[in-house]
Amino acid sequence: MTLDQPGQAAPDTPTREEAAAEIARLRAEVDRHNHLYHAKAAPEVSDSVYDDLFRRLQALEAAHPSLATPDSPTQRVGAEPLESLPNLEHAVPMLSLDSAHEIGDVRRFDERLRKALGEDEIRYVVEPKLDGASLELVYVDGVLDRAVTRGNGRVGEGVTENVRTIPSVPLRLREDTLPAPGFLSVRGEAIMYLGDFENLNQRRIEAGEPPYQNPRNATSGALRQLDSKITAQRPLTVLAYDVMAVEGADFATDSEGLAALKAWGLRTPDRIEVVGSVEEIGDYHRAFDADRESLDYEIDGVVVKLDALEPRERLGSTSHHPRWAIAYKFEPRKEVTRIDRIFVSVGRTGVLTPVALLRPVEVGGVTVSRASLHNREELERKGVREGDRVRIQRAGDVIPQVVERIAEEGRDRGEPFVMPDACPSCGTEPLEKGPFTVCPNHFACRAQLKGRIAHFGSRSALDIEGMGSETAALLVDEGLVKELADIFDLTEEDLVPLEGFAEVSARNLVRAIGERRRVELARFLVGLGIPEVGVSVAADLAAHFRSVDAIRGAPPEEMEEIHGVGSKMSAAIRNFLDEPRVAEALDRLMAKGVEPVAPPVREGGATESDGPEHDWEGNRIVLTGALETFSRRELKEILQGLGARVTGSVSARTDLVVAGASPGSKLARARELGVAVVDETELRKRLDASAGRRGGPGDERDPSGADPATR
Ligand code: IVH
């Protein structure tokens, strides 16, 4: 029996009908106060009055579970953590904006519009360009249905549960003055106010956690959590600025759309204005720029949009941006400080980067205490030394840069900085590679070793179950592995005492490593992390050369016989393999009994034009950028049909990233993690090869799946 059954309530508890009425009243009340507080910044009651209302609502809903609905203000937090964020298509592509850097650019934009529209009077909406994470909110029949990050503009990540926790996002549109439309897709920006950001960082520092670099990173990190309970603890706000699609409401201008968004309870950016000339746009830009330091949120320019909606349609868009809007950017923020010290950090691939440690200085609300000096040549070009006064700049997300040295008359300068002649991590003599300085001790330098081990064991390489980056780090930190080959000497007894290990897990890891002594040659090559060699090139090299020794002895010209291997790639491969430390590390790996196996020769002999053999089963594949010859849905179905999993975000477990035109951060992430990347042409080749071999799907030109070679 539940309290929900009519007539069963105890005498002093309300009946179901009474409870329903009370719940409805409380929800409206809580929603109203939420709206006043978070969207209008004009609260009418104190926090404790609000808390009382909220708790009464919670208690009533708990007593009457059948009366709980997803749009209740109590239902913002509580969803179960997700395994991954789903890929969701936007109702309308989310384009980006063309940029203007000076008033002349804006003037040309204005002239183009006047000419195209043949109108003398044009009105523009001007508003701050918020520097956060843009996202789409979709309301169906007034109820929040989904929230999707911008992603590549066509498809983004579904972050609905996370966005539900953001108080400024109504779970149900308000209808005080305007009925909710049947369908509404809104674009907005998730941001963190600077005050909120600082409090968050303060809390993190107190908890011993690293603070966030800037509000934008903190925001996109919070938005993309798998557990919405974490998002709920991050102070996010969403400001809505564009009606992307609407059914059941009609606007003639953008300003009307913005007014409607407000009426429906969404929060919109401050200081939106309508102006009629380039001069006014200039004034607006200047005024905002002057106030930039005193704002409580980060902006990097102002957005100028044609107010009238019908002419927007006539103007249309390029593949990247609408022709009716432009972002008029601010100059990057610059600040002057002093270099206390220059040190060199060793990256995971062995690149030595000079870094300037600065007297901490605030640049637009963020304290900057270090800046990259990029590489040896950049350092020489800028000619900065320890103790120098320098101008630094922070442009958007980019790591702060040293722009220039500021000469100081009569001040003694330090010595010119020279790159060290020993790797700061392992002492090996570094090599000069173009502008870069690289530690060649790739498989034993501590700075590189953890990453190398994890990569060696990753799914597209040796696929050693249990050898993730945490374990790799532990093995190096505990001194059990001093170079890559050492992993083959690990014993159960070595592992059992380590944190996180027990007998079974220790045995499993030792077995998993042992079993992978015999491994496909292509996987072994991937595992070495040779520059430029991802899954696809590794498969080609394996099919062509068929043994580690043959590859180690191959002249660059022979490598270049492989389709897609050019002189730059062959030189990179040769340089890597010829490096004495690498050669020694390879010898030691082979001495541990590692035995890479050549791919089977297919009937009729393997030829390169057949493309590399590719087993899609269980592969994790990420699609990014705009695809030209596939629709995303189609490609996803094809890959899934071959047994692959198409996932939304790139991690060390990703096997392959398919990059279309203008790919975003996923490509960068893939490069960072050493995940294989192919373009559409290469993918098609592989799919064709699979289709030819298995008669499976993948060859659009011949849906029968007949072997392409026989056609
Ligand atoms: S309007 C079709 N207005 O800036 C373009 N965008 O590339 C509609 N942004 O990530 C966008 N503040 O999401 C518009 N007030 C504002 C904005 C804004 C920030 C973002 C936008 C995109 C980037 C422009």
Side-chain angles (χ1 to χ4, degrees):
M1 180 181 81
T2 72
L3 278 175
D4 245 15
Q5 275 154 5
Q8 300 289 339
D12 56 345
T13 47
T15 64
R16 191 172 189 280
E17 290 71 40
E18 283 164 357
E22 176 73 356
I23 284 176
R25 191 185 67 75
L26 284 168
R27 279 185 192 159
E29 201 53 13
V30 169
D31 272 338
R32 194 171 76 85
H33 290 305
N34 249 337
H35 174 65
L36 287 169
Y37 186 93
H38 291 286
K40 294 210 145 162
E44 277 177 9
V45 295
S46 69
D47 287 1
S48 73
V49 171
Y50 174 86
D51 289 346
D52 282 349
L53 289 170
F54 192 87
R55 274 196 289 267
R56 255 165 59 207
L57 176 58
Q58 263 181 330
L60 271 173
E61 286 180 340
H64 300 272
S66 72
L67 294 176
T69 59
D71 62 343
S72 167
T74 59
Q75 299 305 302
R76 288 189 176 267
V77 191
E80 287 298 309
L82 303 173
E83 246 176 52
S84 63
L85 298 174
N87 279 337
L88 298 180
E89 203 158 325
H90 295 296
V92 178
M94 289 179 79
L95 302 174
S96 59
L97 291 173
D98 207 356
S99 301
H101 296 278
E102 43 197 82
I103 194 73
D105 300 335
V106 179
R107 192 161 289 125
R108 277 185 290 281
F109 164 77
D110 173 65
E111 279 162 13
R112 250 199 335 270
L113 256 60
R114 283 178 198 277
K115 211 164 136 203
L117 299 175
E119 283 167 35
D120 300 335
E121 244 202 72
I122 290 195
R123 299 178 73 71
Y124 296 106
V125 173
V126 285
E127 55 193 44
K129 181 170 182 303
L130 306 159
D131 194 9
S134 70
L135 79 169
E136 178 196 27
L137 305 178
V138 175
Y139 288 87
V140 177
D141 294 329
V143 177
L144 180 66
D145 179 69
R146 58 186 190 269
V148 188
T149 64
R150 175 159 183 273
N152 65 7
R154 252 174 50 76
V155 178
E157 287 172 312
V159 289
T160 316
E161 295 308 334
N162 295 342
V163 168
R164 289 174 64 85
T165 69
I166 304 175
S168 51
V169 174
L171 298 179
R172 170 184 280 282
L173 297 177
R174 302 192 62 77
E175 304 195 83
D176 313 336
T177 54
L178 197 65
F183 180 89
L184 175 70
S185 157
V186 189
R187 181 173 183 154
E189 199 88 356
I191 63 164
M192 241 179 233
Y193 284 101
L194 294 178
D196 290 338
F197 171 72
E198 268 147 33
N199 289 339
L200 172 67
N201 264 352
Q202 197 53 45
R203 289 205 305 273
R204 286 180 70 86
I205 290 165
E206 278 158 19
E209 292 162 333
Y212 291 105
Q213 269 291 317
N214 56 49
R216 160 145 49 133
N217 286 357
T219 300
S220 59
L223 263 190
R224 302 177 56 223
Q225 290 294 323
L226 295 174
D227 185 352
S228 62
K229 290 184 192 68
I230 298 179
T231 312
Q233 293 160 14
R234 309 272 164 87
L236 296 172
T237 301
V238 171
L239 301 181
Y241 47 68
D242 188 42
V243 175
M244 296 210 294
V246 63
E247 284 162 27
D250 203 13
F251 315 116
T253 62
D254 194 31
S255 346
E256 284 174 24
L258 284 162
L261 292 179
K262 251 189 182 169
W264 286 325
L266 286 146
R267 184 159 174 168
T268 52
D270 294 335
R271 294 171 64 159
I272 298 180
E273 285 178 29
V274 177
V275 299
S277 70
V278 174
E279 285 60 45
E280 284 175 280
I281 295 172
D283 292 343
Y284 183 81
H285 183 265
R286 211 167 311 112
F288 239 127
D289 202 359
D291 293 349
R292 197 175 171 196
E293 300 310 319
S294 54
L295 293 177
D296 191 24
Y297 50 93
E298 295 235 68
I299 65 174
D300 57 357
V302 299
V303 177
V304 182
K305 300 186 232 182
L306 184 63
D307 192 23
L309 298 182
E310 185 276 326
R312 282 191 184 184
E313 279 175 35
R314 272 188 280 149
L315 289 163
S317 319
T318 70
S319 59
H320 296 300
H321 12 80
R323 294 201 180 83
W324 42 261
I326 198 159
Y328 183 11
K329 296 280 196 77
F330 295 142
E331 287 232 354
R333 285 184 158 117
K334 296 192 172 73
E335 214 49 75
V336 171
T337 184
R338 199 175 286 286
I339 296 183
D340 276 335
R341 202 160 71 75
I342 298 175
F343 77 101
V344 166
S345 99
V346 191
R348 293 192 315 162
T349 55
V351 175
L352 270 54
T353 303
V355 179
L357 281 182
L358 308 167
R359 294 271 159 88
V361 59
E362 217 184 82
V363 194
V366 176
T367 305
V368 173
S369 56
R370 56 177 63 192
S372 172
L373 289 161
H374 303 289
N375 57 53
R376 193 184 62 254
E377 280 184 8
E378 269 297 293
L379 182 65
E380 278 163 18
R381 200 175 62 74
K382 292 193 171 129
V384 296
R385 303 180 187 178
E386 291 184 345
D388 280 351
R389 246 167 98 76
V390 287
R391 194 179 314 282
I392 61 160
Q393 79 174 26
R394 192 172 69 87
D397 215 2
V398 202
I399 305 167
Q401 301 170 336
V402 173
V403 183
E404 58 183 355
R405 177 171 82 85
I406 298 171
E408 291 169 287
E409 239 170 279
R411 187 172 194 275
D412 285 341
R413 296 183 66 199
E415 293 297 310
F417 184 82
V418 278
M419 292 295 278
D421 52 14
C423 166
S425 168
C426 72
T428 303
E429 186 183 340
L431 303 176
E432 295 193 354
K433 294 202 169 163
F436 300 104
T437 310
V438 181
C439 167
N441 190 14
H442 296 302
F443 298 105
C445 173
R446 273 179 71 96
Q448 302 180 58
L449 189 54
K450 294 175 186 175
R452 294 272 174 191
I453 298 172
H455 179 72
F456 195 64
S458 68
R459 274 177 68 98
S460 50
L462 270 71
D463 196 13
I464 301 172
E465 173 112 33
M467 186 65 98
S469 36
E470 268 174 45
T471 303
L474 192 64
L475 295 174
V476 174
D477 289 338
E478 294 290 329
L480 288 169
V481 176
K482 296 203 163 56
E483 64 161 315
L484 182 59
D486 291 347
I487 63 167
F488 290 100
D489 293 334
L490 290 170
T491 62
E492 250 179 85
E493 294 72 53
D494 287 337
L495 299 179
V496 170
L498 302 187
E499 201 179 315
F501 276 94
E503 246 167 65
V504 178
S505 47
R507 191 178 323 131
N508 286 346
L509 181 58
V510 171
R511 188 174 47 212
I513 297 171
E515 279 171 0
R516 302 307 276 160
R517 278 197 169 85
R518 261 181 81 77
V519 61
E520 295 96 305
L521 177 56
R523 288 181 171 275
F524 180 75
L525 294 174
V526 170
L528 294 180
I530 307 170
E532 315 267 338
V533 178
V535 174
S536 143
V537 176
D540 289 348
L541 287 169
H544 185 97
F545 291 105
R546 313 194 56 74
S547 78
V548 174
D549 284 344
I551 295 170
R552 290 179 74 178
E557 305 78 57
E558 196 181 338
M559 294 185 190
E560 286 160 38
E561 284 170 23
I562 296 172
H563 180 80
V565 177
S567 58
K568 202 173 141 236
M569 198 186 277
S570 67
I573 300 172
R574 271 267 52 93
N575 277 338
F576 187 81
L577 296 175
D578 288 344
E579 174 49 47
R581 299 260 179 174
V582 170
E584 281 166 33
L586 267 171
D587 290 342
R588 279 196 293 270
L589 271 174
M590 307 317 271
K592 302 286 179 197
V594 176
E595 215 184 307
V597 188
V601 181
R602 297 210 310 276
E603 236 174 281
T607 63
E608 272 135 33
S609 61
D610 287 344
E613 167 79 44
H614 199 98
D615 184 8
W616 301 95
E617 191 66 45
N619 273 203
R620 287 164 190 259
I621 300 180
V622 174
L623 312 180
T624 177
L627 302 172
E628 275 158 15
T629 64
F630 290 104
S631 84
R632 237 162 219 269
R633 183 171 306 157
E634 174 198 15
L635 180 55
K636 199 167 164 184
E637 278 169 13
I638 292 172
L639 291 169
Q640 285 167 342
L642 290 165
R645 288 181 52 186
V646 177
T647 61
S649 60
V650 178
S651 75
R653 285 158 48 116
T654 306
D655 294 295
L656 185 66
V657 170
V658 179
S662 47
S665 60
K666 289 184 192 168
L667 180 61
R669 177 102 180 111
R671 295 256 152 86
E672 204 178 288
L673 293 170
V675 172
V677 178
V678 293
D679 63 11
E680 231 175 318
T681 319
E682 170 64 25
L683 178 78
R684 207 166 255 287
K685 252 175 48 191
R686 293 190 191 185
L687 289 172
D688 286 353
S690 310
R693 236 168 277 134
R694 312 178 189 202
D699 191 343
E700 208 185 38
R701 288 156 301 174
D702 184 1
S704 72
D707 188 339
T710 64
R711 284 195 308 225

